[in-house]
PDB file of all heavy atoms in Angstrom:
ATOM      1  N   GLY A   1      60.594  27.088  26.669  1.00 98.00           N
ATOM      2  CA  GLY A   1      60.585  28.162  27.650  1.00 98.00           C
ATOM      3  C   GLY A   1      60.429  27.758  29.099  1.00 98.00           C
ATOM      4  O   GLY A   1      60.276  28.630  29.964  1.00 98.00           O
ATOM      5  N   PHE A   2      60.468  26.470  29.414  1.00 98.00           N
ATOM      6  CA  PHE A   2      60.364  26.055  30.814  1.00 98.00           C
ATOM      7  C   PHE A   2      61.691  26.324  31.520  1.00 98.00           C
ATOM      8  O   PHE A   2      62.763  26.127  30.951  1.00 98.00           O
ATOM      9  CB  PHE A   2      59.983  24.578  30.912  1.00 98.00           C
ATOM     10  CG  PHE A   2      58.524  24.325  30.623  1.00 98.00           C
ATOM     11  CD1 PHE A   2      58.044  24.373  29.323  1.00 98.00           C
ATOM     12  CD2 PHE A   2      57.638  24.061  31.647  1.00 98.00           C
ATOM     13  CE1 PHE A   2      56.700  24.163  29.044  1.00 98.00           C
ATOM     14  CE2 PHE A   2      56.287  23.846  31.393  1.00 98.00           C
ATOM     15  CZ  PHE A   2      55.819  23.898  30.088  1.00 98.00           C
ATOM     16  N   ALA A   3      61.615  26.760  32.777  1.00 97.00           N
ATOM     17  CA  ALA A   3      62.808  27.165  33.526  1.00 97.00           C
ATOM     18  C   ALA A   3      63.484  26.011  34.251  1.00 97.00           C
ATOM     19  O   ALA A   3      64.641  26.124  34.645  1.00 97.00           O
ATOM     20  CB  ALA A   3      62.433  28.243  34.536  1.00 97.00           C
ATOM     21  N   GLY A   4      62.788  24.912  34.465  1.00 98.00           N
ATOM     22  CA  GLY A   4      63.348  23.790  35.205  1.00 98.00           C
ATOM     23  C   GLY A   4      62.351  22.656  35.288  1.00 98.00           C
ATOM     24  O   GLY A   4      61.399  22.587  34.516  1.00 98.00           O
ATOM     25  N   VAL A   5      62.575  21.787  36.267  1.00 98.00           N
ATOM     26  CA  VAL A   5      61.787  20.563  36.436  1.00 98.00           C
ATOM     27  C   VAL A   5      61.146  20.576  37.820  1.00 98.00           C
ATOM     28  O   VAL A   5      61.756  21.004  38.803  1.00 98.00           O
ATOM     29  CB  VAL A   5      62.694  19.315  36.290  1.00 98.00           C
ATOM     30  CG1 VAL A   5      61.911  18.036  36.500  1.00 98.00           C
ATOM     31  CG2 VAL A   5      63.378  19.306  34.926  1.00 98.00           C
ATOM     32  N   LYS A   6      59.915  20.080  37.903  1.00 98.00           N
ATOM     33  CA  LYS A   6      59.209  19.974  39.192  1.00 98.00           C
ATOM     34  C   LYS A   6      58.959  18.509  39.506  1.00 98.00           C
ATOM     35  O   LYS A   6      58.514  17.738  38.650  1.00 98.00           O
ATOM     36  CB  LYS A   6      57.869  20.721  39.129  1.00 98.00           C
ATOM     37  CG  LYS A   6      57.053  20.648  40.418  1.00 98.00           C
ATOM     38  CD  LYS A   6      57.529  21.624  41.480  1.00 98.00           C
ATOM     39  CE  LYS A   6      56.806  21.472  42.801  1.00 98.00           C
ATOM     40  NZ  LYS A   6      55.755  22.398  43.054  1.00 98.00           N
ATOM     41  N   LEU A   7      59.270  18.121  40.732  1.00 98.00           N
ATOM     42  CA  LEU A   7      59.014  16.774  41.227  1.00 98.00           C
ATOM     43  C   LEU A   7      57.996  16.835  42.362  1.00 98.00           C
ATOM     44  O   LEU A   7      57.986  17.793  43.141  1.00 98.00           O
ATOM     45  CB  LEU A   7      60.295  16.125  41.756  1.00 98.00           C
ATOM     46  CG  LEU A   7      61.390  15.826  40.741  1.00 98.00           C
ATOM     47  CD1 LEU A   7      62.635  15.306  41.445  1.00 98.00           C
ATOM     48  CD2 LEU A   7      60.907  14.820  39.716  1.00 98.00           C
ATOM     49  N   TYR A   8      57.185  15.805  42.458  1.00 95.00           N
ATOM     50  CA  TYR A   8      56.179  15.691  43.525  1.00 95.00           C
ATOM     51  C   TYR A   8      56.357  14.364  44.250  1.00 95.00           C
ATOM     52  O   TYR A   8      55.572  13.431  44.049  1.00 95.00           O
ATOM     53  CB  TYR A   8      54.765  15.767  42.935  1.00 95.00           C
ATOM     54  CG  TYR A   8      54.419  17.101  42.345  1.00 95.00           C
ATOM     55  CD1 TYR A   8      54.710  17.388  41.021  1.00 95.00           C
ATOM     56  CD2 TYR A   8      53.795  18.077  43.119  1.00 95.00           C
ATOM     57  CE1 TYR A   8      54.395  18.621  40.474  1.00 95.00           C
ATOM     58  CE2 TYR A   8      53.480  19.310  42.576  1.00 95.00           C
ATOM     59  CZ  TYR A   8      53.784  19.577  41.251  1.00 95.00           C
ATOM     60  OH  TYR A   8      53.471  20.795  40.718  1.00 95.00           O
ATOM     61  N   PRO A   9      57.375  14.228  45.112  1.00 94.00           N
ATOM     62  CA  PRO A   9      57.580  12.963  45.802  1.00 94.00           C
ATOM     63  C   PRO A   9      56.360  12.480  46.587  1.00 94.00           C
ATOM     64  O   PRO A   9      56.137  11.268  46.705  1.00 94.00           O
ATOM     65  CB  PRO A   9      58.761  13.253  46.741  1.00 94.00           C
ATOM     66  CG  PRO A   9      59.490  14.355  46.062  1.00 94.00           C
ATOM     67  CD  PRO A   9      58.420  15.195  45.422  1.00 94.00           C
ATOM     68  N   SER A  10      55.550  13.410  47.093  1.00 91.00           N
ATOM     69  CA  SER A  10      54.374  13.000  47.865  1.00 91.00           C
ATOM     70  C   SER A  10      53.364  12.227  47.017  1.00 91.00           C
ATOM     71  O   SER A  10      52.450  11.605  47.550  1.00 91.00           O
ATOM     72  CB  SER A  10      53.711  14.223  48.501  1.00 91.00           C
ATOM     73  OG  SER A  10      53.325  15.156  47.513  1.00 91.00           O
ATOM     74  N   MET A  11      53.554  12.224  45.707  1.00 91.00           N
ATOM     75  CA  MET A  11      52.691  11.435  44.830  1.00 91.00           C
ATOM     76  C   MET A  11      53.056   9.947  44.870  1.00 91.00           C
ATOM     77  O   MET A  11      52.399   9.131  44.245  1.00 91.00           O
ATOM     78  CB  MET A  11      52.755  11.941  43.390  1.00 91.00           C
ATOM     79  CG  MET A  11      52.156  13.331  43.217  1.00 91.00           C
ATOM     80  SD  MET A  11      50.353  13.345  43.433  1.00 91.00           S
ATOM     81  CE  MET A  11      50.175  13.910  45.107  1.00 91.00           C
ATOM     82  N   GLY A  12      54.120   9.598  45.611  1.00 90.00           N
ATOM     83  CA  GLY A  12      54.392   8.191  45.853  1.00 90.00           C
ATOM     84  C   GLY A  12      55.761   7.681  45.488  1.00 90.00           C
ATOM     85  O   GLY A  12      55.932   6.487  45.217  1.00 90.00           O
ATOM     86  N   PHE A  13      56.769   8.537  45.506  1.00 93.00           N
ATOM     87  CA  PHE A  13      58.135   8.068  45.278  1.00 93.00           C
ATOM     88  C   PHE A  13      59.087   8.903  46.125  1.00 93.00           C
ATOM     89  O   PHE A  13      58.790  10.035  46.486  1.00 93.00           O
ATOM     90  CB  PHE A  13      58.527   8.177  43.795  1.00 93.00           C
ATOM     91  CG  PHE A  13      58.517   9.576  43.254  1.00 93.00           C
ATOM     92  CD1 PHE A  13      59.654  10.372  43.313  1.00 93.00           C
ATOM     93  CD2 PHE A  13      57.365  10.116  42.698  1.00 93.00           C
ATOM     94  CE1 PHE A  13      59.647  11.670  42.827  1.00 93.00           C
ATOM     95  CE2 PHE A  13      57.349  11.423  42.205  1.00 93.00           C
ATOM     96  CZ  PHE A  13      58.491  12.199  42.272  1.00 93.00           C
ATOM     97  N   ARG A  14      60.216   8.331  46.455  1.00 95.00           N
ATOM     98  CA  ARG A  14      61.256   9.051  47.177  1.00 95.00           C
ATOM     99  C   ARG A  14      62.238   9.645  46.168  1.00 95.00           C
ATOM    100  O   ARG A  14      62.338   9.154  45.044  1.00 95.00           O
ATOM    101  CB  ARG A  14      62.012   8.101  48.098  1.00 95.00           C
ATOM    102  CG  ARG A  14      61.168   7.523  49.193  1.00 95.00           C
ATOM    103  CD  ARG A  14      62.023   6.584  50.046  1.00 95.00           C
ATOM    104  NE  ARG A  14      61.184   5.870  50.988  1.00 95.00           N
ATOM    105  CZ  ARG A  14      61.278   4.576  51.241  1.00 95.00           C
ATOM    106  NH1 ARG A  14      62.170   3.836  50.629  1.00 95.00           N
ATOM    107  NH2 ARG A  14      60.482   4.011  52.114  1.00 95.00           N
ATOM    108  N   PRO A  15      63.021  10.643  46.570  1.00 97.00           N
ATOM    109  CA  PRO A  15      64.037  11.176  45.661  1.00 97.00           C
ATOM    110  C   PRO A  15      65.077  10.126  45.272  1.00 97.00           C
ATOM    111  O   PRO A  15      65.747  10.247  44.250  1.00 97.00           O
ATOM    112  CB  PRO A  15      64.687  12.309  46.455  1.00 97.00           C
ATOM    113  CG  PRO A  15      63.674  12.687  47.485  1.00 97.00           C
ATOM    114  CD  PRO A  15      62.922  11.433  47.797  1.00 97.00           C
ATOM    115  N   ASP A  16      65.208   9.071  46.067  1.00 96.00           N
ATOM    116  CA  ASP A  16      66.171   7.993  45.842  1.00 96.00           C
ATOM    117  C   ASP A  16      65.750   6.811  46.706  1.00 96.00           C
ATOM    118  O   ASP A  16      64.921   6.956  47.606  1.00 96.00           O
ATOM    119  CB  ASP A  16      67.572   8.476  46.232  1.00 96.00           C
ATOM    120  CG  ASP A  16      68.669   7.489  45.854  1.00 96.00           C
ATOM    121  OD1 ASP A  16      68.547   6.822  44.813  1.00 96.00           O
ATOM    122  OD2 ASP A  16      69.658   7.397  46.602  1.00 96.00           O
ATOM    123  N   ASP A  17      66.306   5.648  46.433  1.00 95.00           N
ATOM    124  CA  ASP A  17      66.092   4.459  47.272  1.00 95.00           C
ATOM    125  C   ASP A  17      64.623   4.043  47.328  1.00 95.00           C
ATOM    126  O   ASP A  17      64.016   3.963  48.394  1.00 95.00           O
ATOM    127  CB  ASP A  17      66.645   4.710  48.675  1.00 95.00           C
ATOM    128  CG  ASP A  17      66.749   3.433  49.487  1.00 95.00           C
ATOM    129  OD1 ASP A  17      66.831   2.332  48.880  1.00 95.00           O
ATOM    130  OD2 ASP A  17      66.725   3.515  50.728  1.00 95.00           O
ATOM    131  N   ASN A  18      64.067   3.758  46.167  1.00 92.00           N
ATOM    132  CA  ASN A  18      62.661   3.374  46.056  1.00 92.00           C
ATOM    133  C   ASN A  18      62.430   1.870  46.080  1.00 92.00           C
ATOM    134  O   ASN A  18      61.332   1.414  45.778  1.00 92.00           O
ATOM    135  CB  ASN A  18      62.070   3.977  44.770  1.00 92.00           C
ATOM    136  CG  ASN A  18      61.848   5.457  44.917  1.00 92.00           C
ATOM    137  OD1 ASN A  18      60.926   5.891  45.583  1.00 92.00           O
ATOM    138  ND2 ASN A  18      62.716   6.252  44.309  1.00 92.00           N
ATOM    139  N   GLY A  19      63.448   1.103  46.430  1.00 89.00           N
ATOM    140  CA  GLY A  19      63.336  -0.351  46.406  1.00 89.00           C
ATOM    141  C   GLY A  19      62.203  -0.923  47.234  1.00 89.00           C
ATOM    142  O   GLY A  19      61.579  -1.900  46.845  1.00 89.00           O
ATOM    143  N   GLY A  20      61.904  -0.334  48.372  1.00 85.00           N
ATOM    144  CA  GLY A  20      60.906  -0.923  49.254  1.00 85.00           C
ATOM    145  C   GLY A  20      59.576  -0.207  49.310  1.00 85.00           C
ATOM    146  O   GLY A  20      58.746  -0.527  50.169  1.00 85.00           O
ATOM    147  N   ILE A  21      59.340   0.739  48.413  1.00 86.00           N
ATOM    148  CA  ILE A  21      58.082   1.482  48.513  1.00 86.00           C
ATOM    149  C   ILE A  21      56.916   0.667  47.973  1.00 86.00           C
ATOM    150  O   ILE A  21      57.077  -0.205  47.134  1.00 86.00           O
ATOM    151  CB  ILE A  21      58.153   2.846  47.798  1.00 86.00           C
ATOM    152  CG1 ILE A  21      58.278   2.670  46.285  1.00 86.00           C
ATOM    153  CG2 ILE A  21      59.258   3.709  48.350  1.00 86.00           C
ATOM    154  CD1 ILE A  21      58.003   3.936  45.503  1.00 86.00           C
ATOM    155  N   SER A  22      55.747   0.986  48.449  1.00 82.00           N
ATOM    156  CA  SER A  22      54.518   0.369  47.966  1.00 82.00           C
ATOM    157  C   SER A  22      53.945   1.227  46.849  1.00 82.00           C
ATOM    158  O   SER A  22      54.000   2.453  46.907  1.00 82.00           O
ATOM    159  CB  SER A  22      53.497   0.284  49.106  1.00 82.00           C
ATOM    160  OG  SER A  22      52.215  -0.010  48.598  1.00 82.00           O
ATOM    161  N   LEU A  23      53.406   0.578  45.836  1.00 83.00           N
ATOM    162  CA  LEU A  23      52.733   1.303  44.766  1.00 83.00           C
ATOM    163  C   LEU A  23      51.223   1.089  44.838  1.00 83.00           C
ATOM    164  O   LEU A  23      50.525   1.201  43.840  1.00 83.00           O
ATOM    165  CB  LEU A  23      53.289   0.875  43.404  1.00 83.00           C
ATOM    166  CG  LEU A  23      54.764   1.221  43.187  1.00 83.00           C
ATOM    167  CD1 LEU A  23      55.255   0.671  41.856  1.00 83.00           C
ATOM    168  CD2 LEU A  23      54.993   2.715  43.268  1.00 83.00           C
ATOM    169  N   ALA A  24      50.725   0.829  46.055  1.00 80.00           N
ATOM    170  CA  ALA A  24      49.292   0.606  46.237  1.00 80.00           C
ATOM    171  C   ALA A  24      48.474   1.828  45.844  1.00 80.00           C
ATOM    172  O   ALA A  24      47.296   1.706  45.500  1.00 80.00           O
ATOM    173  CB  ALA A  24      49.004   0.233  47.693  1.00 80.00           C
ATOM    174  N   HIS A  25      49.078   3.000  45.866  1.00 80.00           N
ATOM    175  CA  HIS A  25      48.379   4.242  45.528  1.00 80.00           C
ATOM    176  C   HIS A  25      48.281   4.449  44.013  1.00 80.00           C
ATOM    177  O   HIS A  25      47.537   5.306  43.552  1.00 80.00           O
ATOM    178  CB  HIS A  25      49.127   5.427  46.133  1.00 80.00           C
ATOM    179  CG  HIS A  25      50.516   5.543  45.591  1.00 80.00           C
ATOM    180  ND1 HIS A  25      51.546   4.761  46.064  1.00 80.00           N
ATOM    181  CD2 HIS A  25      51.021   6.290  44.595  1.00 80.00           C
ATOM    182  CE1 HIS A  25      52.636   5.050  45.380  1.00 80.00           C
ATOM    183  NE2 HIS A  25      52.352   5.973  44.482  1.00 80.00           N
ATOM    184  N   ALA A  26      49.040   3.694  43.241  1.00 79.00           N
ATOM    185  CA  ALA A  26      49.114   3.909  41.787  1.00 79.00           C
ATOM    186  C   ALA A  26      47.826   3.441  41.103  1.00 79.00           C
ATOM    187  O   ALA A  26      46.992   2.740  41.700  1.00 79.00           O
ATOM    188  CB  ALA A  26      50.304   3.162  41.208  1.00 79.00           C
ATOM    189  N   ASN A  27      47.696   3.810  39.829  1.00 76.00           N
ATOM    190  CA  ASN A  27      46.496   3.393  39.105  1.00 76.00           C
ATOM    191  C   ASN A  27      46.491   1.873  38.901  1.00 76.00           C
ATOM    192  O   ASN A  27      47.505   1.197  39.082  1.00 76.00           O
ATOM    193  CB  ASN A  27      46.337   4.160  37.786  1.00 76.00           C
ATOM    194  CG  ASN A  27      47.407   3.825  36.765  1.00 76.00           C
ATOM    195  OD1 ASN A  27      47.861   2.690  36.651  1.00 76.00           O
ATOM    196  ND2 ASN A  27      47.817   4.822  36.008  1.00 76.00           N
ATOM    197  N   GLN A  28      45.342   1.360  38.507  1.00 77.00           N
ATOM    198  CA  GLN A  28      45.155  -0.093  38.412  1.00 77.00           C
ATOM    199  C   GLN A  28      46.126  -0.735  37.431  1.00 77.00           C
ATOM    200  O   GLN A  28      46.654  -1.822  37.678  1.00 77.00           O
ATOM    201  CB  GLN A  28      43.706  -0.397  38.008  1.00 77.00           C
ATOM    202  CG  GLN A  28      43.364  -1.868  38.092  1.00 77.00           C
ATOM    203  CD  GLN A  28      41.891  -2.105  37.819  1.00 77.00           C
ATOM    204  OE1 GLN A  28      41.200  -1.275  37.269  1.00 77.00           O
ATOM    205  NE2 GLN A  28      41.410  -3.266  38.208  1.00 77.00           N
ATOM    206  N   ARG A  29      46.397  -0.076  36.315  1.00 73.00           N
ATOM    207  CA  ARG A  29      47.322  -0.626  35.316  1.00 73.00           C
ATOM    208  C   ARG A  29      48.713  -0.837  35.916  1.00 73.00           C
ATOM    209  O   ARG A  29      49.346  -1.872  35.718  1.00 73.00           O
ATOM    210  CB  ARG A  29      47.404   0.320  34.118  1.00 73.00           C
ATOM    211  CG  ARG A  29      48.252  -0.210  32.993  1.00 73.00           C
ATOM    212  CD  ARG A  29      48.321   0.793  31.859  1.00 73.00           C
ATOM    213  NE  ARG A  29      49.695   1.260  31.800  1.00 73.00           N
ATOM    214  CZ  ARG A  29      50.093   2.397  31.307  1.00 73.00           C
ATOM    215  NH1 ARG A  29      49.237   3.257  30.830  1.00 73.00           N
ATOM    216  NH2 ARG A  29      51.356   2.706  31.275  1.00 73.00           N
ATOM    217  N   VAL A  30      49.178   0.119  36.696  1.00 76.00           N
ATOM    218  CA  VAL A  30      50.500   0.013  37.322  1.00 76.00           C
ATOM    219  C   VAL A  30      50.483  -1.027  38.429  1.00 76.00           C
ATOM    220  O   VAL A  30      51.430  -1.797  38.574  1.00 76.00           O
ATOM    221  CB  VAL A  30      50.969   1.386  37.845  1.00 76.00           C
ATOM    222  CG1 VAL A  30      52.224   1.266  38.676  1.00 76.00           C
ATOM    223  CG2 VAL A  30      51.179   2.340  36.676  1.00 76.00           C
ATOM    224  N   ARG A  31      49.414  -1.083  39.203  1.00 75.00           N
ATOM    225  CA  ARG A  31      49.339  -2.060  40.295  1.00 75.00           C
ATOM    226  C   ARG A  31      49.373  -3.491  39.768  1.00 75.00           C
ATOM    227  O   ARG A  31      49.912  -4.380  40.414  1.00 75.00           O
ATOM    228  CB  ARG A  31      48.091  -1.829  41.140  1.00 75.00           C
ATOM    229  CG  ARG A  31      48.198  -0.632  42.054  1.00 75.00           C
ATOM    230  CD  ARG A  31      47.121  -0.632  43.131  1.00 75.00           C
ATOM    231  NE  ARG A  31      45.797  -0.880  42.645  1.00 75.00           N
ATOM    232  CZ  ARG A  31      44.905   0.050  42.297  1.00 75.00           C
ATOM    233  NH1 ARG A  31      45.237   1.326  42.374  1.00 75.00           N
ATOM    234  NH2 ARG A  31      43.704  -0.276  41.884  1.00 75.00           N
ATOM    235  N   ARG A  32      48.809  -3.721  38.584  1.00 77.00           N
ATOM    236  CA  ARG A  32      48.827  -5.075  38.018  1.00 77.00           C
ATOM    237  C   ARG A  32      50.230  -5.496  37.599  1.00 77.00           C
ATOM    238  O   ARG A  32      50.574  -6.666  37.676  1.00 77.00           O
ATOM    239  CB  ARG A  32      47.897  -5.146  36.796  1.00 77.00           C
ATOM    240  CG  ARG A  32      46.443  -5.341  37.143  1.00 77.00           C
ATOM    241  CD  ARG A  32      45.630  -5.803  35.937  1.00 77.00           C
ATOM    242  NE  ARG A  32      45.738  -4.907  34.798  1.00 77.00           N
ATOM    243  CZ  ARG A  32      44.878  -3.939  34.487  1.00 77.00           C
ATOM    244  NH1 ARG A  32      43.832  -3.738  35.257  1.00 77.00           N
ATOM    245  NH2 ARG A  32      45.050  -3.186  33.441  1.00 77.00           N
ATOM    246  N   ASN A  33      51.032  -4.564  37.145  1.00 77.00           N
ATOM    247  CA  ASN A  33      52.376  -4.875  36.669  1.00 77.00           C
ATOM    248  C   ASN A  33      53.339  -3.776  37.113  1.00 77.00           C
ATOM    249  O   ASN A  33      53.850  -3.011  36.288  1.00 77.00           O
ATOM    250  CB  ASN A  33      52.369  -5.002  35.140  1.00 77.00           C
ATOM    251  CG  ASN A  33      53.662  -5.563  34.615  1.00 77.00           C
ATOM    252  OD1 ASN A  33      54.403  -6.209  35.345  1.00 77.00           O
ATOM    253  ND2 ASN A  33      53.956  -5.293  33.358  1.00 77.00           N
ATOM    254  N   PRO A  34      53.608  -3.678  38.423  1.00 76.00           N
ATOM    255  CA  PRO A  34      54.415  -2.561  38.920  1.00 76.00           C
ATOM    256  C   PRO A  34      55.880  -2.687  38.503  1.00 76.00           C
ATOM    257  O   PRO A  34      56.433  -3.783  38.501  1.00 76.00           O
ATOM    258  CB  PRO A  34      54.276  -2.664  40.436  1.00 76.00           C
ATOM    259  CG  PRO A  34      53.955  -4.093  40.690  1.00 76.00           C
ATOM    260  CD  PRO A  34      53.192  -4.581  39.490  1.00 76.00           C
ATOM    261  N   PRO A  35      56.491  -1.568  38.148  1.00 83.00           N
ATOM    262  CA  PRO A  35      57.922  -1.610  37.864  1.00 83.00           C
ATOM    263  C   PRO A  35      58.685  -1.765  39.178  1.00 83.00           C
ATOM    264  O   PRO A  35      58.210  -1.325  40.225  1.00 83.00           O
ATOM    265  CB  PRO A  35      58.199  -0.257  37.222  1.00 83.00           C
ATOM    266  CG  PRO A  35      57.164   0.640  37.793  1.00 83.00           C
ATOM    267  CD  PRO A  35      55.944  -0.225  37.997  1.00 83.00           C
ATOM    268  N   PRO A  36      59.850  -2.369  39.155  1.00 80.00           N
ATOM    269  CA  PRO A  36      60.633  -2.458  40.394  1.00 80.00           C
ATOM    270  C   PRO A  36      61.084  -1.068  40.837  1.00 80.00           C
ATOM    271  O   PRO A  36      61.251  -0.161  40.015  1.00 80.00           O
ATOM    272  CB  PRO A  36      61.824  -3.345  40.000  1.00 80.00           C
ATOM    273  CG  PRO A  36      61.897  -3.274  38.518  1.00 80.00           C
ATOM    274  CD  PRO A  36      60.508  -2.985  38.024  1.00 80.00           C
ATOM    275  N   GLY A  37      61.288  -0.922  42.141  1.00 80.00           N
ATOM    276  CA  GLY A  37      61.723   0.366  42.680  1.00 80.00           C
ATOM    277  C   GLY A  37      62.995   0.865  42.043  1.00 80.00           C
ATOM    278  O   GLY A  37      63.189   2.060  41.865  1.00 80.00           O
ATOM    279  N   ARG A  38      63.880  -0.068  41.661  1.00 91.00           N
ATOM    280  CA  ARG A  38      65.133   0.381  41.045  1.00 91.00           C
ATOM    281  C   ARG A  38      64.883   1.065  39.705  1.00 91.00           C
ATOM    282  O   ARG A  38      65.664   1.907  39.281  1.00 91.00           O
ATOM    283  CB  ARG A  38      66.126  -0.767  40.930  1.00 91.00           C
ATOM    284  CG  ARG A  38      65.835  -1.783  39.870  1.00 91.00           C
ATOM    285  CD  ARG A  38      66.938  -2.854  39.813  1.00 91.00           C
ATOM    286  NE  ARG A  38      66.662  -3.805  38.770  1.00 91.00           N
ATOM    287  CZ  ARG A  38      65.777  -4.794  38.839  1.00 91.00           C
ATOM    288  NH1 ARG A  38      65.073  -4.953  39.949  1.00 91.00           N
ATOM    289  NH2 ARG A  38      65.578  -5.606  37.829  1.00 91.00           N
ATOM    290  N   ALA A  39      63.769   0.732  39.030  1.00 91.00           N
ATOM    291  CA  ALA A  39      63.441   1.405  37.766  1.00 91.00           C
ATOM    292  C   ALA A  39      63.095   2.873  38.029  1.00 91.00           C
ATOM    293  O   ALA A  39      63.446   3.753  37.221  1.00 91.00           O
ATOM    294  CB  ALA A  39      62.289   0.699  37.062  1.00 91.00           C
ATOM    295  N   LEU A  40      62.436   3.159  39.149  1.00 94.00           N
ATOM    296  CA  LEU A  40      62.167   4.550  39.522  1.00 94.00           C
ATOM    297  C   LEU A  40      63.481   5.271  39.823  1.00 94.00           C
ATOM    298  O   LEU A  40      63.684   6.403  39.386  1.00 94.00           O
ATOM    299  CB  LEU A  40      61.242   4.626  40.737  1.00 94.00           C
ATOM    300  CG  LEU A  40      59.752   4.529  40.472  1.00 94.00           C
ATOM    301  CD1 LEU A  40      59.336   3.141  40.086  1.00 94.00           C
ATOM    302  CD2 LEU A  40      58.982   4.994  41.677  1.00 94.00           C
ATOM    303  N   ASP A  41      64.373   4.585  40.555  1.00 95.00           N
ATOM    304  CA  ASP A  41      65.668   5.187  40.876  1.00 95.00           C
ATOM    305  C   ASP A  41      66.479   5.465  39.606  1.00 95.00           C
ATOM    306  O   ASP A  41      67.144   6.494  39.505  1.00 95.00           O
ATOM    307  CB  ASP A  41      66.466   4.280  41.814  1.00 95.00           C
ATOM    308  CG  ASP A  41      65.857   4.195  43.201  1.00 95.00           C
ATOM    309  OD1 ASP A  41      65.078   5.099  43.577  1.00 95.00           O
ATOM    310  OD2 ASP A  41      66.158   3.217  43.914  1.00 95.00           O
ATOM    311  N   GLN A  42      66.421   4.552  38.636  1.00 96.00           N
ATOM    312  CA  GLN A  42      67.145   4.763  37.375  1.00 96.00           C
ATOM    313  C   GLN A  42      66.564   5.944  36.605  1.00 96.00           C
ATOM    314  O   GLN A  42      67.305   6.749  36.029  1.00 96.00           O
ATOM    315  CB  GLN A  42      67.112   3.489  36.532  1.00 96.00           C
ATOM    316  CG  GLN A  42      67.949   2.373  37.113  1.00 96.00           C
ATOM    317  CD  GLN A  42      67.676   1.017  36.466  1.00 96.00           C
ATOM    318  OE1 GLN A  42      66.697   0.834  35.756  1.00 96.00           O
ATOM    319  NE2 GLN A  42      68.564   0.067  36.731  1.00 96.00           N
TER     320      GLN A  42
END
């Protein structure tokens, strides 16, 4: 019954072109082994 999808870019990602973003805001598990920005874009 959900009508659509909600995104929150202010949580630390751009709608596209995430190659150069910092993941310093992410939780410790992600900071230890961050995915490349292209994985977010994919």
Side-chain angles (χ1 to χ4, degrees):
F2 284 75
V5 178
K6 179 80 185 261
L7 294 175
Y8 293 88
S10 59
M11 293 291 99
F13 62 90
R14 295 180 188 136
D16 188 35
D17 193 23
N18 286 285
I21 67 165
S22 166
L23 296 176
H25 62 280
N27 67 36
Q28 189 174 18
R29 184 182 113 204
V30 171
R31 285 195 312 266
R32 278 196 304 264
N33 190 21
R38 74 178 181 282
L40 276 72
D41 291 339
Q42 290 167 346

